[in-house]
Amino acid sequence: MSTENEGTAVPPAPSAPPVPVDAPAAPAPQGQPPQGQAPQGQAPQGPGPYAQDFQGQSAHGQGAPGDAAHHGVSSSAPDPSWPPPPPPASPSYGDGGSGSGGGWGSSYQQPAPKSGRGRGGLVAAILVAALAAGGLGGGLGYTLAKNNDENSGSTTVSASTSGGDVKRDPGTVAGVAAKALPSTVTIEAESNSGEGGTGTGFVFDRQGHIVTNNHVVAGAVDGGKLTATFPSGKKYDAEVVGHARGYDVAVIKLKSAPDDLKPLTLGDSDKVAVGDATIAIGAPFGLSDTVTTGIISAKNRPVASSDGTGSQASYMSALQTDASINPGNSGGPLLDAQGNVIGINSAIQSTGNGGFGTGQSGSIGLGFAIPINQAEYVAQELIKTGKPVYAKIGASVSLDDSSDGAQITDQGATPVEPGGPAAKAGLKPGDVITKLDDRVIDSGPTLIGEIWTHKPGDKVTITYERGGKEHTVDLTLGSRIGDN
């Protein structure tokens, strides 16, 4: 990814509607195709399953269905039909930071060129109409000015009152942005090899800790270079305090942090409702201090993405928003209408086509954020110990594309950890988990994301199927320290 971190590949997304192409004005001789018209072709066919332990260890590698993209470069040949077929019932998700793109649907075929008279004629008509309107306006203006000058001796018109002072109340988008922007930073991360990327972060406390995504700083973890720049232009060197690949959360600390840091207020992501207003702040494509708005489109959306190293996927039960999020927004705050942080922007669903020759995908209104209740807990653990702590049930589940639930796999030496929570609860390989508390579980990644919204020691109720019969059991979540 050019701005942040590459993600895992996902199925191709629907392209934008085809754009008409002007054809030569002269018709081709009979029996021959018009000059410049390409013969009709066929679109190439465009992207398995593996098992994932709740400790986050991949049994077969990444690339599972549902992987998110931090940004993507994925193109497909034209397809003869438009519009594309409707999306499947189980969508795959994309990442808004800076990784690979993905989406739904099939590719399309560029339509045959239209007659050269169509669009050119329309443009000409618009120009003529504009000129005519300009001439008419000029004539009327001269006449009115002449009459006015004869009657009053002046053509100047003065307003009776001025526009007055512009007030931006705290509850407005402008008011929220004015308060939050000084506490956001643009992060530049550079690895030892010189490769770099750009992301976003926000002030977490007065000691200089900045919260962001793991995939924003992953390249600089082992001796790389980090800087954080505030909207004021002040730039500080920084270092990684801790990072969690599974959660896609990281904490960095400013060196020689200033004394006037103002941490952003953290909200309660559990109380967020669909339809609530959202405000996203970030550096899309390197454009620092950009503010966009939208709403909460959905909650508890299962999203899987990669930190770009190929070592481990991250899973979240995300807040979905239509606020514009692009590569470079990753790690930035998602705010509510009062300016409270309710999430960390982390992923986007992308069409996989950058357009205009950019080779980089952008927002299509499907962005995903890590709920702040989860991110706050992770950040506090990273500041305290430098290592992430994960909740677990001690079993491995299949990541096959399925909507029936999360099946405990029989692959590996110990699919159910001896003495672990799942074993104590009587779960066995082949059991299909369909609910965690009241949350419906339709796949392995969904189960992992839901478990990771909890803390070790939390008690949960597991509903599962065995031999065609439904069973329910209570268990206490265990813990695992570190990503390995």
Side-chain angles (χ1 to χ4, degrees):
M1 162 102 147
S2 60
T3 56
E4 292 170 359
N5 190 52
E6 294 292 336
T8 54
V10 294
S15 303
V19 179
V21 178
D22 290 335
Q30 186 174 2
Q32 298 181 7
Q35 183 178 357
Q37 177 173 330
Q40 186 173 3
Q42 296 182 349
Q45 302 301 315
Y50 61 99
Q52 174 76 28
D53 183 72
F54 284 127
Q55 288 87 13
Q57 297 170 346
S58 172
H60 298 282
Q62 66 181 41
D67 278 0
H70 297 305
H71 119 269
V73 181
S74 173
S75 61
S76 56
D79 183 84
S81 62
W82 183 266
S90 243
S92 58
Y93 302 101
D95 178 296
S98 48
S100 64
W104 304 300
S106 60
S107 55
Y108 69 91
Q109 172 99 16
Q110 184 88 353
K114 296 182 180 179
S115 168
R117 301 173 61 91
R119 190 167 63 178
L122 176 61
V123 172
I126 292 174
L127 289 175
V128 170
L131 289 173
L136 178 61
L140 288 174
Y142 171 78
T143 301
L144 292 173
K146 182 176 183 296
N147 293 337
N148 188 58
D149 183 58
E150 292 175 349
N151 295 332
S152 64
S154 173
T155 59
T156 303
V157 178
S158 300
S160 58
T161 58
S162 66
D165 295 334
V166 177
K167 295 183 179 180
R168 295 181 176 88
D169 296 329
T172 64
V173 173
V176 169
K179 184 178 180 181
L181 276 169
S183 297
T184 62
V185 296
T186 298
I187 297 173
E188 294 183 8
E190 184 177 322
S191 66
N192 288 325
S193 63
E195 296 181 353
T198 301
T200 308
F202 62 91
V203 176
F204 186 69
D205 59 27
R206 298 183 185 278
Q207 286 70 49
H209 292 108
I210 305 292
V211 172
T212 185
N213 281 142
N214 169 71
H215 73 260
V216 170
V217 302
V221 167
D222 297 322
K225 181 180 179 181
L226 277 177
T227 61
T229 305
F230 285 85
S232 63
K234 293 183 179 179
K235 179 182 288 189
Y236 298 86
D237 291 332
E239 60 185 354
V240 177
V241 172
H243 63 109
R245 289 197 299 265
Y247 292 121
D248 196 19
V249 174
V251 176
I252 65 175
K253 187 175 183 180
L254 304 178
K255 297 179 180 179
S256 303
D259 297 329
D260 59 349
L261 290 176
K262 295 181 179 179
L264 290 182
T265 303
L266 305 185
D268 186 347
S269 52
D270 289 341
K271 295 181 179 180
V272 170
V274 173
D276 281 352
T278 58
I279 301 169
I281 299 179
F285 298 102
L287 300 174
S288 299
D289 316 320
T290 296
V291 177
T292 55
T293 64
I295 63 169
I296 292 293
S297 305
K299 296 178 61 176
N300 308 118
R301 192 70 84 185
V303 176
S305 62
S306 169
D307 68 355
T309 65
S311 59
Q312 181 177 355
S314 62
Y315 298 92
M316 62 179 125
S317 183
L319 297 175
Q320 180 181 327
T321 180
D322 65 346
S324 183
I325 296 174
N326 287 287
N329 275 103
S330 283
L334 183 69
L335 310 170
D336 62 18
Q338 288 71 46
N340 304 311
V341 181
I342 55 175
I344 301 177
N345 301 319
S346 181
I348 60 170
Q349 170 71 30
S350 172
T351 63
N353 185 354
F356 300 103
T358 64
Q360 196 169 40
S361 302
S363 171
I364 58 172
L366 295 173
F368 305 95
I370 303 167
I372 194 60
N373 289 11
Q374 176 184 5
E376 180 184 12
Y377 163 73
V378 176
Q380 289 172 341
E381 291 295 323
L382 292 176
I383 293 172
K384 187 185 304 181
T385 67
K387 296 181 179 179
V389 179
Y390 296 91
K392 68 173 186 177
I393 66 169
S396 298
V397 295
S398 172
L399 298 185
D400 287 346
D401 187 11
S402 171
S403 60
D404 298 329
Q407 183 176 28
I408 299 180
T409 181
D410 56 1
Q411 299 179 13
T414 55
V416 177
E417 177 187 329
K424 292 179 179 179
L427 295 174
K428 301 178 180 179
D431 291 345
V432 179
I433 298 174
T434 57
K435 279 187 178 182
L436 190 150
D437 291 333
D438 59 351
R439 188 82 63 219
V440 174
I441 302 299
D442 58 5
S443 66
T446 302
L447 178 61
I448 297 172
E450 287 298 328
I451 288 176
W452 285 355
T453 63
H454 291 76
K455 301 176 183 178
D458 285 353
K459 293 183 179 180
V460 297
T461 299
I462 298 291
T463 302
Y464 66 97
E465 294 180 357
R466 178 189 297 171
K469 295 183 179 181
E470 186 175 271
H471 305 272
T472 300
V473 65
D474 294 330
L475 59 80
T476 300
L477 296 174
S479 66
R480 173 175 61 82
I481 300 176
D483 281 309
N484 299 319

